[in-house]
Amino acid sequence: MPASVKKAFALRLDPALYAAIERMAAADLRSANAEIEVLLREALARRGMTVKPPVPARRGRPPKEEG
């Protein structure tokens, strides 16, 4: 079962635009996908559209069950 459910779709970008996104992502220690999500959320916020913050992925081992 995936940690979080996300909508997957193909996105065609100009290579120069994608290269700029990759540079921004590297500077922020993010993946290009995460950088695109941040940019989209910022653009939506500027237009007055609020989106719930993402639920952080659960990390590490699950707790041991007692019993």
Side-chain angles (χ1 to χ4, degrees), residues 38-60:
V38 168
L39 292 171
L40 287 171
R41 286 178 187 280
E42 289 174 354
L44 287 170
R46 281 194 306 270
R47 290 179 174 234
M49 175 77 63
T50 57
V51 180
K52 290 191 300 186
V55 176
R58 297 177 75 179
R59 306 264 184 215

Side-chain angles (χ1 to χ4, degrees), residues 9-27:
F9 68 99
L11 177 63
R12 291 175 292 281
L13 295 174
D14 178 87
L17 177 60
Y18 188 76
I21 290 169
E22 282 185 313
R23 286 192 304 273
M24 287 179 66

